[in-house]
């Protein structure tokens, strides 16, 4: 590993740590200034049945009787060692509450990402090699259509058609295979639009390069040309797009869970907001920020390794691709 890459990785890592710190502080401030008093709404709610002694004990345990800066310092120091605190509503560890619902959300998010990638690749391939009379131009309009329709609308349509009309899944069983598939489809369709747009643009660019012309002159089939020569260089920017859409993927998962009635992180957030369970809200938002930052950090670190034409200078900037680089790529295409 070269020194420029280590410098680049070190700077990106420091930036990621700073972003996580700022995100945690911002989340703490926003959650703390929410209207209403969580002590009154949660602890002093007659339905919860807490005595005054128990209320004072919970307030002391949560540190709610201390200044805000002290609360922030204590909260962050516990967060970095994995202690997410105790729920004010259930009096259970927040980590346990999240662990109970996290698998459902992860399955939905991962399946939605797979669906988005498959849709994006299929659309991009069709825009390059499908004949015009078979709908090539129509495929180019799909990303715009997908972006214009919210995922909850797509979810409602899928439930009506495949759940109520065709009976492929039952709404009362949201964790079944088909229910999960259609929930992932509702989540993945809007996300596939962004990936497809980038992939189509880069395929158009790469198809006009000299190495693509050389590959075509050798009589390669369209599928082999697409898979062997065009897809890899065109998909490199997709890594960045996927990293940037992680936040949308997580947010879309919460909405999709509500539409399909899945018991995931979304339902936990909904309950926590309605009861102002601050430790749970703080933990979920902070963990989402950490996931988003880590994924983007990995994308930044992987990009120079995936593309040999990307050279890192001491300032961690990428050197533009030159004619010599294109010649090297052309030579490699001829050899392969």
């Amino acid at each position: 590993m070269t020194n420029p890459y280590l410098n680049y990785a070190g700077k990106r890592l420091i930036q990621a740590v700073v972003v996580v710190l700022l995100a945690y502080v911002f989340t703490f401030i926003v959650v703390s200034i929410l209207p209403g008093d969580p002590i009154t709404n949660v602890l002093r709610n007659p339905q919860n049945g807490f005595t005054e002694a128990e209320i004072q004990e919970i307030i002391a345990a949560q540190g709610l009787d201390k200044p805000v800066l002290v609360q922030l310092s204590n909260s962050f120091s516990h967060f970095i060692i994995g202690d997410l605190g105790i729920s004010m509503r259930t009096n259970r560890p927040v980590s346990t509450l999240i662990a109970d619902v996290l698998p459902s959300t992860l399955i939905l998010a991962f399946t939605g990402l797979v669906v988005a990638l498959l849709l994006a690749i299929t659309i991009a391939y069709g825009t390059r090699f499908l004949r015009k009379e078979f709908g090539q131009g129509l495929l180019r309009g799909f990303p715009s259509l997908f972006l214009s329709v919210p995922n909850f609308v797509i979810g409602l349509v899928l439930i009506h058609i495949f759940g109520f009309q065709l009976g492929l899944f039952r709404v009362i069983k949201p964790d079944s295979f088909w229910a999960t598939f259609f929930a992932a489809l509702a989540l993945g369709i809007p996300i596939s639009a962004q990936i497809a747009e980038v992939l189509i643009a880069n395929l158009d660019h790469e198809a006009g390069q000299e190495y693509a012309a050389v590959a075509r002159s050798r009589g390669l089939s369209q599928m082999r040309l697409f898979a062997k020569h065009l897809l890899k260089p065109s998909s490199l920017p997709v890594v960045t797009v996927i990293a940037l859409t992680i936040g949308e993927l997580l947010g879309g998962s919460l909405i999709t869970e509500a539409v399909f009635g899945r018991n995931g992180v979304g339902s936990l957030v909904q309950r926590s907001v309605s009861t102002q369970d601050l430790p749970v809200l703080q933990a979920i938002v902070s963990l989402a920020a950490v996931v988003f930052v880590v994924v983007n950090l990995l994308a930044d670190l992987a990009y120079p390794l995936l593309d040999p034409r990307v050279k890192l200078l001491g300032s961690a900037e990428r050197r533009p691709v030159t004619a010599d680089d294109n010649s090297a790529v052309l030579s490699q295409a001829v050899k392969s």
Side-chain angles (χ1 to χ4, degrees):
M1 202 66 66
T2 62
N3 287 332
Y5 182 82
L6 291 178
N7 293 335
Y8 171 81
K11 290 181 179 180
R12 288 292 184 268
L13 181 60
I14 293 174
Q15 291 174 359
V17 172
V18 172
V19 170
V20 170
L21 175 60
L22 294 177
Y24 191 89
V25 173
F26 178 77
T27 303
F28 184 89
I29 294 174
V30 170
V31 171
S32 299
I33 64 176
L34 284 176
D37 180 7
I39 296 177
T40 302
N41 293 343
V42 180
L43 301 182
R44 300 191 188 280
N45 189 332
Q47 295 180 354
N48 293 327
F50 291 115
T51 65
E52 187 61 32
E54 291 173 335
I55 291 175
Q56 295 303 323
E57 183 180 350
I58 294 174
I59 290 175
Q62 296 281 356
L64 298 176
D65 55 344
K66 297 178 181 179
V68 175
L69 291 180
V70 176
Q71 293 183 39
L72 174 60
S73 176
N74 292 339
S75 177
F76 186 73
S77 61
H78 284 85
F79 178 77
I80 60 178
I81 62 174
D83 183 5
L84 303 180
I86 303 296
S87 168
M88 296 176 62
R89 186 177 69 89
T90 63
N91 203 30
R92 294 177 59 195
V94 175
S95 56
T96 301
L97 295 176
I98 296 177
D100 290 342
V101 298
L102 187 60
S104 176
T105 299
L106 291 179
I107 291 174
L108 176 61
F110 177 77
T111 310
L113 180 60
V114 172
V115 169
L117 289 174
L118 292 177
L119 281 174
I121 293 174
T122 301
I123 293 172
Y125 178 82
T127 58
R128 286 286 342 144
F129 302 111
L130 192 67
R131 297 174 61 178
K132 291 184 178 180
E133 57 267 28
F134 293 153
Q136 182 191 60
L138 181 63
L139 279 179
R140 287 186 177 269
F142 274 20
S144 299
L145 175 63
F146 290 168
L147 277 176
S148 63
V149 183
N151 64 336
F152 72 88
V153 174
I154 298 174
L156 292 174
V157 172
L158 292 176
I159 290 175
H160 177 73
I161 296 176
F162 296 99
F164 294 129
Q165 299 295 326
L166 300 180
L168 288 181
F169 67 93
R170 301 178 65 184
V171 179
I172 60 175
K173 293 184 178 180
D175 294 325
S176 64
F177 172 80
W178 284 112
T180 301
F181 171 77
F182 286 112
L185 187 61
L187 177 62
I189 285 177
I191 295 175
S192 69
Q194 304 174 49
I195 300 175
E197 286 281 9
V198 174
L199 193 54
I200 290 171
N202 282 277
L203 280 173
D204 291 342
H205 172 74
E206 296 296 332
Q209 299 300 307
E210 294 182 17
Y211 73 87
V214 171
R216 280 192 290 266
S217 68
R218 296 173 58 205
L220 292 182
S221 64
Q222 292 182 348
M223 176 62 75
R224 191 174 181 186
L225 174 65
F226 175 80
K228 190 174 181 180
H229 294 285
L230 298 180
L231 184 59
K232 182 178 178 180
S234 300
S235 62
L236 290 174
V238 175
V239 174
T240 303
V241 175
I242 292 175
L244 293 175
T245 57
I246 288 298
E248 182 178 346
L249 188 67
L250 295 175
S253 296
L254 306 186
I255 299 173
T256 305
E257 285 174 352
V259 172
F260 282 82
R262 298 174 62 90
N263 184 27
V265 176
S267 59
L268 180 59
V269 170
Q270 184 179 13
R271 293 193 300 268
S272 301
V273 170
S274 62
T275 60
Q276 287 195 307
D277 197 344
L278 302 187
V280 177
L281 288 176
Q282 177 75 50
I284 292 176
V285 176
S286 300
L287 288 176
V290 170
V291 171
F292 182 79
V293 170
V294 169
V295 171
N296 280 273
L297 173 63
L298 293 177
D300 284 342
L301 297 181
Y303 202 92
L305 300 178
L306 293 174
D307 191 351
R309 294 175 294 177
V310 174
K311 304 297 182 182
L312 298 175
L313 304 178
S315 59
E317 295 179 352
R318 295 171 182 167
R319 177 174 62 83
V321 179
T322 64
D324 293 336
D325 296 322
N326 288 328
S327 298
V329 174
L330 175 61
S331 300
Q332 182 63 30
V334 173
K335 292 179 182 178
S336 60

